[in-house]
Amino acid sequence: MRRPVIAGNWKMHKTQAETRAFFEEFKPLVSASRHCDIIVAPPFTAIAAAVDAAKGTLISIAGQDGCWERAGAFTGEISMPMLIEAGCQSVIIGHSERRKYFGETDAIVNRKLKAAIEAGLQPIVCVGEDQSERDAGHTEQLIERQFNDGMATLTGPDFSRILVAYEPVWAIGTGRTATPEIAAEVHAFLRRLAAKRFTPGLAASARILYGGSVKPDNIRGLMAQEEIDGALVGGASLDARSFSAIVNF
Ligand code: PGA
């Protein structure tokens, strides 16, 4: 049995005050929710406020990104050990917005992944095709490349610590969710890649989340798919009511 994960990615939203207000409203709505891991990824400046607000709850806090180096002359960057010290337990790596706007490649994703694991963070590694790649019938090819270049060099034990998030770029922030069947197909493909590279056992226990316009009204259909182990939620995670409705699918 794979334990479900519902993770919220706030992107560049919420000040510290807004973060505190979110948790005040959110905590009572999920205080009885023990059926899944709950993760919130605020912007860096609100991590401390989120960690403080989530104390004594089962909600864990994640970074949205982190550098591959531990320390050094990298203006503007935050290292994985810094995220740990701030109270994070996981970190999103290779989100499509990082790849698109900040030039992140699979090689960078791979370095960040290793740095996260070395620091003791649980990486949430994002993969996914854009509209033109899907239209051209290249989805599996692209996913395979992102898998091979991003995470295939991990050891088995390290692979068992990561969460993979399948986020088709055409579904992010567009209101166009992949159907549960489309998502499940790609999840099954990722699992076959993991079985080939690692072991069938590791592939069977890998947790693969879906992301892209997940909302309270489509989460149940997605979670009904055997292949889908959870969700990475953007827009709908900003509101305590809608995010709690997703958590309590
Ligand atoms: P969305 O974003 O739920 O707003 O589509 C998902 C994501 O980018 O992680």
Side-chain angles (χ1 to χ4, degrees):
M1 249 320 252
R2 298 186 294 263
R3 183 173 163 77
V5 185
I6 302 292
N9 170 15
W10 284 358
K11 310 191 178 183
M12 198 167 69
H13 292 286
K14 293 200 193 289
T15 61
Q16 298 182 45
E18 288 163 347
T19 297
R20 284 188 284 270
F22 172 91
F23 277 94
E24 275 321 295
E25 192 183 353
F26 183 62
K27 281 192 289 186
L29 298 172
V30 298
S31 58
S33 313
R34 292 173 194 279
H35 59 287
C36 68
D37 292 350
I38 307 172
I39 302 174
V40 175
F44 292 132
T45 48
I47 285 175
V51 167
D52 188 51
K55 251 189 211 125
T57 73
L58 295 172
I59 306 161
S60 73
I61 306 303
Q64 296 178 14
D65 185 30
C67 188
W68 59 82
E69 293 287 346
R70 296 180 61 84
F74 297 93
T75 301
E77 290 294 292
I78 303 282
S79 75
M80 303 294 179
M82 288 171 182
L83 291 176
I84 285 275
E85 191 210 21
C88 291
Q89 291 173 24
S90 43
V91 61
I92 299 171
I93 295 175
H95 189 278
S96 63
E97 286 149 18
R98 301 288 324 163
R99 295 176 187 260
K100 180 169 161 200
Y101 301 125
F102 304 97
E104 275 190 21
T105 61
D106 292 320
I108 293 175
V109 168
N110 183 257
R111 292 180 73 185
K112 290 185 171 188
L113 186 46
K114 289 179 174 158
I117 289 171
E118 192 188 313
L121 287 163
Q122 172 179 58
I124 305 170
V125 188
C126 304
V127 298
E129 81 286 3
D130 67 21
Q131 185 69 62
S132 63
E133 288 154 345
R134 173 156 286 269
D135 291 346
H138 294 159
T139 299
E140 293 198 346
Q141 215 175 304
L142 190 272
I143 297 289
E144 184 163 8
R145 194 201 73 210
Q146 290 179 333
F147 177 86
N148 284 339
D149 296 351
M151 53 196 117
T153 61
L154 296 181
T155 63
D158 284 350
F159 178 75
S160 72
R161 297 180 45 196
I162 75 177
L163 298 174
V164 179
Y166 168 57
E167 299 207 307
V169 177
W170 48 270
I172 294 178
T174 58
R176 285 184 60 200
T177 330
T179 62
E181 292 74 21
I182 290 179
E185 241 173 60
V186 178
H187 286 216
F189 178 68
L190 274 162
R191 229 178 274 288
R192 288 199 295 279
L193 292 174
K196 214 161 53 173
R197 164 61 187 91
F198 299 103
T199 65
L202 278 181
S205 55
R207 293 190 289 174
I208 307 178
L209 319 185
Y210 166 77
S213 297
V214 174
K215 308 283 178 220
D217 61 5
N218 59 29
I219 184 68
R220 291 188 76 159
L222 290 161
M223 293 306 289
Q225 291 285 335
E226 167 72 29
E227 275 295 340
I228 300 180
D229 304 312
L232 182 54
V233 186
S237 71
L238 293 171
D239 176 77
R241 291 202 165 271
S242 73
F243 192 46
S244 67
I246 293 171
V247 167
N248 297 321
F249 63 89

